[in-house]
Amino acid sequence: MERGCKKHFCLVLVKPSHYDDDGYVIQWLRSPIPSTSLAALYGLAQDCAERRVLGPDVEIDVHAFDETNTRIRCDSLAAMIHAAGAGMVMLVGVQSNQFPRALDLATTLRKRDIPVAIGGFHVSGTLSMLDGADPDLQRATAMGVSLFAGEAEGRLERVLQDADAGALAPLYNFMDDLPGIEGTPIPLLAAETVRRTAGGVTSFDAGRGCPYQCSFCTIINVQGRKSRHRSPADIEKIVRLNYAEGMRSFFITDDNFARNKDWERILDRLIHLREAEKLEIGFIIQVDTLCHKLRNFIEKCARAGVRRVFIGLENINPDNLLGEGSIDFEKMHPLECGFLRRKSRRDRRPGFPIEPAWRFYPKYLTETAVNQVRWIWLYLRLRRLYLRIKHDPERLRYTDFAMAAVAHDEAETRALFGTAAAQAYLTQEHRLAKIREGQVA
Ligand code: B12
Ligand code: SF4
C-alpha cells in the first residue's frame, strides 16, 4: 500500500512457542526473559529498514512477537501484510521442539498467501548434522516455506529483497560461511515487546563458537569452533540501551563465555561501567569447568557483576531434573516456565479436539488457582528457610558432602555413584585415564 508517496513492506517476526502434552500452546502472561533470537533479528531488520535495502521509496515496518507471551493470530498477521501491500512472516529462533508449532503457524499463513521463512537451531542443526534429511523440513518446503540455515548477519537483506520480488528461495544455506559478528547491528527489541516479560532481566550474545569438542555437544556443529565475538564497544552499547529501559540484569548467552577470545576486554569494559560509572548491573554467564585456569577470569567476572554461572556437566543422575519446582506444578522444564500460564481454547495442536467452553474454562481456572497457591506456598517455605539460615550465627561453619573437597575413595563410598549409569560412566573414565597414561594400547 502507498501511504503518502512511500511503499510499505510489513515484516513480522515471530518467535514460536511449542505445545504442551495436552496440545495447548505454552504461553504465559509474562515470559521470564526477552528472546535473544528475536532481538537479534529485530536489530538486523531495523538496520535493513534504516539502510532502505528495498529501495529509497520503500519503508520496512518491523513487528516482533514472542509467542511465549503473546497469542499469535495468523489472520491478524495476514491482514497487516495485506494492508501494507507487501511483506512476509519470519518464524525465528525455531528449536526442534518448536518446529511442529512453527509448521502449524506456517500452514495457516501459507493458506492466506503470506510468504513465510523459518530459521533457527532446528533448520541449521538438521542441515549441518543430517544433511537436511528431516520430514518436517520437507513438509515446510512442500508448502512453499523458505528455510534459512546459518546466521542472518549480512544476509537478511537478501531474503527481504527476494521476498519483495516474490522470489524467495526454498533454501538459504550459509552453514559453510559463518559470519564475523564484530560491528554488526546489535540485538535489541522495542520497549513494548520487552514489557511482556517479567522485567529487569534481558539477554544478548557477546560471542558465538566454542573451541572444545564435547562428544554430546550439538552447538559446535552449528556455531562452529572458532570464537566470533561482538566488540566491547558494542557490548557497552547494548548494556547502556537496556539500562536506560530499566534492565539491570543480563544473561550473556554465549555457550562458553570463558572461551570468548575477547572476554577480558569485555569484562574490563563492564567493570568500568560498574565501578567508575556506578551502573547497578549484574550478569549470568555460561562457562566450562576449566575456566578457573584463565588468569584473572574469576576475579574480573566478580568485579563485572557476574552473579550466577551455568557450568555444563554430564548428569550422573537424570532423576535430579524431576526434583525441579516447575515440573511438579506446571509439568514444565524450568527454563520454559513463566508467570501465570495462559491457555487459549482454540489454539490446540491439530489432532486434539477443541474442548467445549463449559469444560475448558472451569478446568483452566481451577488449575491456575491451584498452581498459584502452590507457588505461593513454596515461596513462603523457601523464604522462611532463607531467613533462618541468614540469621543463624553458625551459618558460616556449615558444611556437607557437596561442599567438601574431593576424596580419593568417594566413587566407592558415595551413594551418588551407586547407580548402574554412574558405574558405567566411571568404568569408561578409568579406561580413558589408563589410555592417557599409555597403559592400554
Ligand atoms: C540462551 C539459550 C537459552 C535461553 C534463552 C534466553 C533468551 N533470552 O533467549 C534459555 C535458558 C531460556 C533457553 C531455554 C531453552 N533452550 Co536454549 N539455548 C540457548 C543458547 C545457549 C543460545 C541461543 C541464542 O540466543 N542464540 C543467539 C541467537 C542470535 O542465535 P539463533 O537463535 O541461532 O539465531 C540466529 C540464526 O539462527 C538466524 N535465524 C534464526 N531464526 C531465523 C529466522 C529467519 C527467517 C532467518 C532469516 C534467520 C534466522 O539468525 C540469528 C542471528 O544470526 C542455545 C545454544 C546456541 N548456541 O544456539 C541453546 C539451545 C537453542 N536451547 C536449546 C533448548 C533445548 C532449550 C529448551 C527447550 C530447554 C528446555 N528443555 O526447556 C528451552 C526452550 C525455551 C524456549 N521457550 O525457547 C537447544 C535447542 C536444540 C534443538 N535441537 O533445537 C540449544 C541449541 C542448546 C542445545 N544444544 O541443547 N535457551
Ligand atoms: S564446552 Fe560447552 S559449548 Fe563447548 S563443546 Fe563443550 S558442551 Fe559444547
Side-chain angles (χ1 to χ4, degrees), residues 294-370:
L294 294 169
R295 213 170 135 257
N296 292 336
F297 183 73
I298 293 189
E299 293 77 2
K300 289 202 173 180
C301 280
R303 284 178 61 201
V306 172
R307 295 276 167 269
R308 195 189 290 183
V309 179
F310 290 133
I311 304 180
L313 299 170
E314 274 188 278
N315 195 349
I316 292 175
N317 186 354
D319 291 347
N320 284 341
L321 201 54
L322 298 178
E324 277 289 336
S326 63
I327 293 206
D328 243 11
F329 300 177
E330 306 280 2
K331 298 186 182 54
M332 205 78 65
H333 189 283
L335 293 183
E336 299 198 273
C337 224
F339 174 68
L340 250 179
R341 176 74 200 269
R342 283 172 58 174
K343 274 187 197 177
S344 301
R345 186 169 71 92
R346 294 184 177 279
D347 289 349
R348 210 169 186 198
R349 190 172 191 159
F352 282 84
I354 299 295
E355 292 184 88
W358 58 264
R359 189 192 308 146
F360 174 84
Y361 287 107
K363 198 166 77 180
Y364 171 49
L365 290 177
T366 312
E367 263 170 29
T368 307
V370 168

Side-chain angles (χ1 to χ4, degrees), residues 210 212-214 216-217 220 255-256:
C210 173
Y212 291 144
Q213 258 185 307
C214 301
F216 51 85
C217 183
I220 42 176
D255 291 284
N256 192 346

